[in-house]
Amino acid sequence: MLTPGKNSVTPDWMPVPAEVRMHTDRFSLDSSFAVSIEGAATDRLSRACVRLMRRVSDRTGLFFQRESATGALPLSAPGMTVAAQREGRVSLGEDESYSLEISAQGIRLSAVTDIGCLRGMETLFQLLDADADPEGSGYGFPCLTVRDKPRFPWRGLLIDVSRHFMPADVILRNLDGMAAVKLNVLHWHLSDDQGFRVETRSFPKLHGLGSDGFYYSQEEIRGIIAYAADRGIRVVPEFDMPGHVTSWLAGYPELTHRPGPFRIERRWGVWSSAMDPTRKSTYRFLERFIAEMTGLFPDEYFHIGGDEVEGKPWMEDPDIRAYMKKHGLPDAAALQTHFTLRVQKILASHDRKMIGWDEILTPGLQSGAVIQSWRGRESLVEAVSRGMSAILSNGYYIDLVQPAAFHYSNDPLTPDMNLSEAEAANVLGGEATMWAELVTPETVDSRIWPRTAAIAERLWSPADIRDPEDMHRRLRSVSLMLEQAGLTHIRNRGVMMRRLAAGTDTGPLEILLSAVEPVKNYRRHSMRPFTTFSPLTCVADASVPDAEKARRFNTLVESLLSGAGGSSEAEPVRRQLILWRDNHEAMLPLIRRSPILAEIESLSEDLSRAAEIGLQALDFRASGRTPESVWTNEVRTRLESMAEPRAEVELVILDAIRKLASQQ
Ligand code: ACM
């Protein structure tokens, strides 16, 4: 057993490998560096080697003499050997393990499958660093031995393209991000009330009348699936049914028992339209539809949704009630199970296994299904105790804009679940869910990344890799690496702030946003009447879920108050507070020029005032004086009033300032 992280330097990698032994030496890079493939030289592996060389060359500025992988390495050239025993299948449970050995003389990456080699290349790339005291180019890799494999076989990211359509390039760049942190399932939420996004030849009015023209052609879909497969990533399509189907009904109102006509839904929320599970024609439709879609999507799993079906409209229909009576179906849940089992049978006839949200886990559900637990973890435990498989999404809802540490601490498999070995093996992993009510192609990356890298680590690394501070330290580097991989979570903030500031200096806005986060959970929906047409270009959209400067400030204040770090934190805390205190004056001209910012004027003023309180508290502390209780009480009241969100963002440094003010 090798020991994880046991050395003077812990690399800024994510996910942390299962077993690591750091050595002392370095492998130095120079332009003679080359890669050689041994064993199964698959096309996927060759392309991955080319991409790796390009990425290393882009980072280092080295003009490699050899651009791509060759046969045997020339004896004189230090380089890397990549060896896979066989081509991997892009399917659940495929071997993704690898070993990586870096010595001063060379690098050897070996794996059972070429997909394992791909995972190892991502580890290697994250190790690329600069030597403070270089002999050669200055770039290289630390010498080490890694033996790595995933903890869970299903490590996914759901992207909802129904609520806001995400063009192919958004999906492709996110696949690169997923590959970089070893996620292996793209769960593609392709239809919902607000849009049906797939070109469908058997029923052309699905995309024709259900998408406003925003859908993927089949050729595009094949391209995306191939791109994903080239990175060892499965693509699981989801067509949500029997609820969440308003966009289907725009073209095919006969799928439901209720009178039409229907139009694409423009509002958010849970709507009551549902397929009629009692009509033969519904299943004939689904048979043809599934036949076509299973021809397009090769994965052995097919997601049928099944969430949030409102039973009342079914129960109000006399024909449906009569059908239920005849078939001995006591309630709407039993009727939905009846539907689910019929669809499961259709899927089985096309060699597909069914996956659905946890609502499908009713007493009548038979084995063979995968349950995706989103309303809690209870369904996960119930599913595996009934011999089914399950994945966890509860706690991984990244659209709730919770901090990375919150998701990081959420483990799909904990000892208190008291599962047998066989049951635990059926906990396949988890998925982050990027629901798209409040994101656009411009902002979606900033809601997925970098937090999803922390979830990826939870799903790949050993359970005892879980220190949140260390995670945050590494996440900073990983976030930049993800940007270099093509993601726009950092750079688009600049674009958005320039638009908000109407072309003026964005500095003050950036300082203000460093102290705020968007309101959490689904609170934003209660603050304005959002629809599919609402602008998502406001201050809340340019702010991020895990404001890094605010988080660091809060940590410094904690440390200052606990006395853990002596008083060395007082200076950086003071500097930050001065910056925030003086910012409102700089914000005012921006707000005058750019009316879109008017909604944050009082928030900006409050940031200045809160910072002033913090500075006064620091002065009390430095002078050893105790403030009068009048001051303490007044400050508490004022800070409380500043906690009120504005423009759907809130100041996230108030708690730290309250503690500073009260713990003199
Ligand atoms: C869901 O969030 N309705 C699965």
Side-chain angles (χ1 to χ4, degrees), residues 244 307-308 357 374 397 435:
H244 287 277
D307 56 321
E308 299 179 313
W357 298 105
W374 73 280
Y397 265 47
W435 298 108

Side-chain angles (χ1 to χ4, degrees), residues 318-338:
D319 291 341
I320 291 183
R321 277 205 310 275
Y323 180 95
M324 290 170 69
K325 195 160 171 210
K326 185 170 156 207
H327 289 82
L329 303 167
D331 53 24
L335 181 59
Q336 188 179 342
T337 305
H338 181 76

Side-chain angles (χ1 to χ4, degrees), residues 538-607:
C538 299
V539 170
D541 304 293
S543 59
V544 290
D546 223 349
E548 172 72 12
K549 287 218 168 79
R551 205 186 54 74
R552 278 205 255 179
F553 173 81
N554 294 341
T555 309
L556 274 174
V557 170
E558 289 284 343
S559 167
L560 178 68
L561 292 174
S562 72
S567 58
S568 60
E569 297 92 348
E571 246 339 278
V573 167
R574 182 180 294 280
R575 274 201 305 275
Q576 181 64 68
L577 286 169
I578 291 172
L579 209 59
W580 282 332
R581 181 197 61 193
D582 297 343
N583 194 55
H584 184 53
E585 208 171 307
M587 269 304 294
L588 280 173
L590 242 77
I591 294 171
R592 298 289 169 261
R593 268 186 68 123
S594 186
I596 193 172
L597 293 175
E599 60 180 6
I600 51 158
E601 180 164 349
S602 68
L603 186 90
S604 168
E605 191 172 1
D606 279 354
L607 175 61

